């Protein structure tokens, strides 16, 4: 990796009690807020399946009503994943630590598997402000919406389905804040994340909101001034990392395939140095907005991104 990072190393023989205040629950199986966790000897295994590599176009489907400012926060994050796209947007590279530095931690996985690095490009945006499938969706309907956003037939791609605060989704706020899935035959994958600001901010927007239970100290300020959308960024980031490294449930993961620990979910609740259950870690604070962040993106954006499990060091790595 081109950037220095802080790491939290899990001992392999000690039983640890994690009262995990998760800001996201990932992929095929949901995990509870409180869990007794004993790290196994093999913390992350490659199951020899497909990884999403090379140029990876991503399309966004905005389901419901999002303001122009909210769309800009999220689309700027997608652009920030690639240093090349970042330069194209504002003429200069984002300051370090950059979102693209965070993404290079994802590339640790593709490198170990002797695959190409993955470069995500924002290829299109679509809106469904009429709630064409209603305001209460199941997982099959999320997959249907992802299919509408997929306009890269025959080419590996990702659809990002985002729902506004008025939309409920099967399992949302009860056991997940987002999930990913895909179709290996069509080489397509998708990520869904919901805006939980009014439904369960203590569950899905932590650390920008006090958790459901546990330490009730004042939460850090959201870096873009929008608790719901800044919380979505955390979930989008973690799920994109997991989608690339385990798109069809036979890539990198630990544990049962039905409820795997993946690149980001293996490090739930960790954002900076010194993190512990209920405390996100030491984070830089923007002198103007007062927002806490750990990565910088295009157009002067600042974001809080989750730690990722580094398979080379068997530790959770952050940028700060």
């Amino acid at each position: 990796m081109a950037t220095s990072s802080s790491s939290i190393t899990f001992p392999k023989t000690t039983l640890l009690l994690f009262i995990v205040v998760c800001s996201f629950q990932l992929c095929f199986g949901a995990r509870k807020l409180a869990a007794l966790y004993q790290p196994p000897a093999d913390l992350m295994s490659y199951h020899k399946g497909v990884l999403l590599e090379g140029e990876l176009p991503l399309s966004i489907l905005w389901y419901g009503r999002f303001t122009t400012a909210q769309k800009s926060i999220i689309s700027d994050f997608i652009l920030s994943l690639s240093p090349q796209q970042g330069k194209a947007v504002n003429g200069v590279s984002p300051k370090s630590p950059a979102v693209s530095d965070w993404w290079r931690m994802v590339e640790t996985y593709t490198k170990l598997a002797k695959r190409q690095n993955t470069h995500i490009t924002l290829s299109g945006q679509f809106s469904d402000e009429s709630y064409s499938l209603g305001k209460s969706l199941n997982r099959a309907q999320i997959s249907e919406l992802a299919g509408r956003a997929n306009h890269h037939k025959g080419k590996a791609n990702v659809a990002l389905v985002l729902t506004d605060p008025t939309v409920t989704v099967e399992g949302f706020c009860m056991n997940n804040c987002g999930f990913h899935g895909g179709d290996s035959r069509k080489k397509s994958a998708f990520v869904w994340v919901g805006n939980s600001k009014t439904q369960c901010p203590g569950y899905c927007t932590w650390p920008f909101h006090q958790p459901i239970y546990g330490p009730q100290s004042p939460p850090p300020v959201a870096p873009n001034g929008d608790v719901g959308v800044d919380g979505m960024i955390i979930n989008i980031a973690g799920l994109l990392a997991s989608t690339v490294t385990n798109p069809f449930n036979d890539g990198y993961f630990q544990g049962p395939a039905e409820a795997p620990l993946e690149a980001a979910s293996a490090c739930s609740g960790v954002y900076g140095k010194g993190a512990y259950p209920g405390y996100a870690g030491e984070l830089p604070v923007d002198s103007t907005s007062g927002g806490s962040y750990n990565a910088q993106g295009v157009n002067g954006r600042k974001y809080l991104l989750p730690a990722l499990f580094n398979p080379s060091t068997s530790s959770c790595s952050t940028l700060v």
Side-chain angles (χ1 to χ4, degrees):
M1 268 187 311
T3 182
S4 61
S5 63
S6 61
S7 299
I8 296 178
T9 303
F10 292 121
K12 297 182 179 180
T13 59
T14 304
L15 186 65
L16 301 177
L17 177 63
F18 280 90
I19 303 175
V20 181
V21 185
C22 294
S23 60
F24 53 92
Q25 305 297 329
L26 304 177
C27 197
F28 304 92
R31 297 172 60 223
K32 297 180 179 179
L33 285 176
L36 189 65
Y37 177 58
Q38 183 177 16
D42 188 0
L43 287 171
M44 191 68 64
S45 300
Y46 180 39
H47 295 78
K48 308 303 181 182
V50 172
L51 307 181
L52 299 183
E53 57 182 312
E55 183 179 343
L56 187 66
L58 178 147
S59 303
I60 302 176
L61 191 147
W62 307 93
Y63 190 81
R65 298 178 183 177
F66 291 84
T67 66
T68 300
Q70 290 175 326
K71 290 182 178 181
S72 294
I73 293 168
I74 293 174
S75 60
D76 279 352
F77 169 69
I78 301 301
L79 292 172
S80 299
L81 292 170
S82 167
Q84 289 76 20
Q85 289 198 99
K87 290 178 182 179
V89 170
N90 61 4
V92 295
S93 297
K95 295 179 180 179
S96 182
V99 172
S100 57
D101 295 330
W102 178 86
W103 188 251
R104 275 195 281 272
M105 292 195 285
V106 177
E107 294 173 348
T108 302
Y109 288 80
T110 53
K111 187 175 298 184
L112 285 174
K114 295 181 170 52
R115 306 297 177 85
Q116 300 179 63
N117 288 337
T118 306
H119 303 289
I120 290 182
T121 60
L122 181 56
S123 63
Q125 300 187 54
F126 310 90
S127 295
D128 184 344
E129 296 186 351
S130 64
Y131 305 96
S132 61
L133 298 182
K135 290 190 174 184
S136 180
L137 307 177
N138 58 36
R139 290 195 171 210
Q141 289 172 312
I142 293 295
S143 182
E144 178 182 340
L145 290 173
R148 295 182 188 179
N150 173 19
H151 60 289
H152 297 279
K153 306 298 182 183
K155 180 179 176 65
N157 64 89
V158 175
L160 177 59
V161 179
L162 304 175
T163 51
D164 77 12
T166 68
V167 177
T168 60
V169 176
E170 179 184 357
F172 187 33
C173 289
M174 291 182 287
N175 53 30
N176 71 70
C177 305
F179 56 80
H180 72 84
D183 187 329
S184 59
R185 294 169 300 172
K186 296 181 180 179
K187 300 180 181 179
S188 64
F190 70 86
V191 169
W192 162 73
V193 173
N195 186 324
S196 63
K197 182 177 180 180
T198 58
Q199 296 186 49
C200 56
Y203 181 48
C204 292
T205 68
W206 187 87
F208 300 128
H209 190 281
Q210 290 174 316
I212 298 173
Y213 53 81
Q216 297 296 304
S217 55
V221 175
N224 293 287
D226 189 316
V227 170
V229 172
D230 278 306
M232 290 179 79
I233 290 291
I234 293 173
N235 300 315
I236 291 168
L239 284 163
L240 280 178
S242 296
T243 298
V244 167
T245 58
N246 188 34
F248 309 120
N249 212 22
D250 56 4
Y252 280 96
F253 66 89
Q254 182 269 313
E258 298 76 20
L261 283 175
E262 299 177 309
S265 58
C267 298
S268 293
V270 178
Y271 300 92
K273 183 179 179 180
Y276 55 81
Y279 173 60
E282 299 174 14
L283 300 172
V285 176
D286 183 78
S287 59
T288 301
S289 68
S292 294
Y293 66 97
N294 60 9
Q296 302 192 62
V298 302
N299 293 325
R301 295 285 187 191
K302 293 180 172 64
Y303 298 102
L304 186 66
L305 305 181
L308 296 177
F309 185 83
N310 187 331
S312 297
T313 62
S314 295
S315 64
C316 292
S317 294
T318 68
L319 291 175
V320 297

